[in-house]
Amino acid sequence: MEQKPLRDFLEIPYDELEELNLRVKEQRIQRVSPEKMRDERIKYLTDEKRIKAITVCFTDLEGRLHMLDYDKKFLLKSADNLTFDGSSIRGFSAQAESDLRLNIDWGAFYWLPSDIFGPGKVLAFSEVLERDGTPYHSDMRGQLKRATDALFQKDGTVFHAAPEIEGFLFKSRDAERHYHEEGKFEFISIGGYYHALPGDALRTFIDKAAEAQRAMGFQNEKDHPEVAPSQFEMNFSYSEAIIAADQIQLYKLLCRQVAAQLGLTASFLPKPVTGVNGNGMHINMSLSKNNKNLFHDKAGQDGLSQMGWEFIDRILTNANDICLVLNSSVNSYRRLDPHYEAPNQIKASANNRGAMVRIPFGNERSARVECRSVAPDANPYMVLYTLMKTGLEGPQPQEDAETKRSRTRFLPDNIYDAIRFFKGSQFIAQTLGEAVQGKYAELKVGSADRCPKQLGTRVKEAEIQFHHEVTNQYLWNLF
């Protein structure tokens, strides 16, 4: 008699995964009611016996992705009462008010490649709530979701985003955590832009990560090695802002996981190695209404509508105030170096890649505004929320817009100046709320004070050690 396997967990082929994930993505885009999506998912989880756990994700104020695995049977009974200790999360609640709740966003539901994440699991994003069920002020995902929903409910306007996220692939696992031992990162490839031989380590990594992206409904466009050695970029289609921000978190998660399986490290530090280009996260943005791109005007300057130019002018006017949101770490100010195509000029240009804002060539479908001065370690929800609010509601230039566009100003070249602009901004206080403004600034001062005030020419251990994507709670508690 043939022995029955001890475990029978769900493992779905990649082509079926893509179909499942794209169907749910389409439901989000079509704004199927949350109740209907919740009922669908719960019925599916109840009927599918081969699922053991649901990975529930939320993002803290600095942009770290946190994951809790809930047993499926427990979650189905307790989905409306999921609590966690917020005082354990840097930038969240104080110990005296530590209990927070998770509210699963059933539309942001993903089936996972089992060879990367393990069999029998699915993943869902969540919002963070106060104990009484009201939105938690430091949950930027919730803020972005409410803002984009309000924009659509007002007059049908939709905010789209397409990120271009660069990263490095380094030798050995956990290379960032061991940086203080080695004092350097070791490239896996020195092939350069668009050049990696089939089968070499960088190409193998890109192929495997891109396959996982595709299966998770990213709708890939292109992937390639970038300018610097061992650098990669895998582009995917534009989507609504909340979907795009979720995909940024998943992109970084699956890149790190694929790299770890290969005995390597995927790093999204903005400038982990001096002397070569850094990592950026260019954010392409557009607004649409009734499927019409509001940024397109064939007769407009650079093919952009008046609304598109006003969006740009507001971002340029408030560039210093929002710089800390877009460049949130000590290390990110190394990237804003004009010698390496750094977008540190507060101006807009169709061609100048040193400009903070670029206007790519576009048509009725693809006309957009590209903010190039965003680092890949920034909180994607906070970035998209702040850029949208700034572009639509930020203070307008006090002088003639044409004059301000043509005059060259520069973004801060160190985190202390960026913190000063951020803390002193009335616009930031109104946009993020004074509580978030204060908490976020306090976290950034804490990081800055643990690092040398002058960056110098060598990446310092403290830049890596106290980087918010690397540092654990234990290390912070030593200070």
Side-chain angles (χ1 to χ4, degrees), residues 168 170 185 187 271-278 459:
F168 278 99
F170 294 130
F185 292 113
F187 295 133
K271 190 82 168 185
V273 181
T274 56
V276 297
N277 286 33
V459 175

Side-chain angles (χ1 to χ4, degrees), residues 237-266:
S237 177
Y238 76 93
S239 195
E240 295 191 16
I242 188 71
I243 298 175
D246 287 346
Q247 287 178 324
I248 290 170
Q249 295 294 65
L250 289 174
Y251 173 96
K252 291 162 70 174
L253 174 66
L254 69 85
C255 283
R256 289 189 173 111
Q257 182 70 0
V258 168
Q261 288 181 342
L262 296 171
L264 305 169
T265 297

Side-chain angles (χ1 to χ4, degrees), residues 78 99 128 134 142 172 185 216 220 260 308 340 377 399 467 470:
S78 312
D99 282 352
V128 181
T134 56
S172 77
F185 292 113
M216 291 180 72
N220 297 25
Y340 297 95
D377 56 349
E399 59 189 294
H467 188 269
V470 177

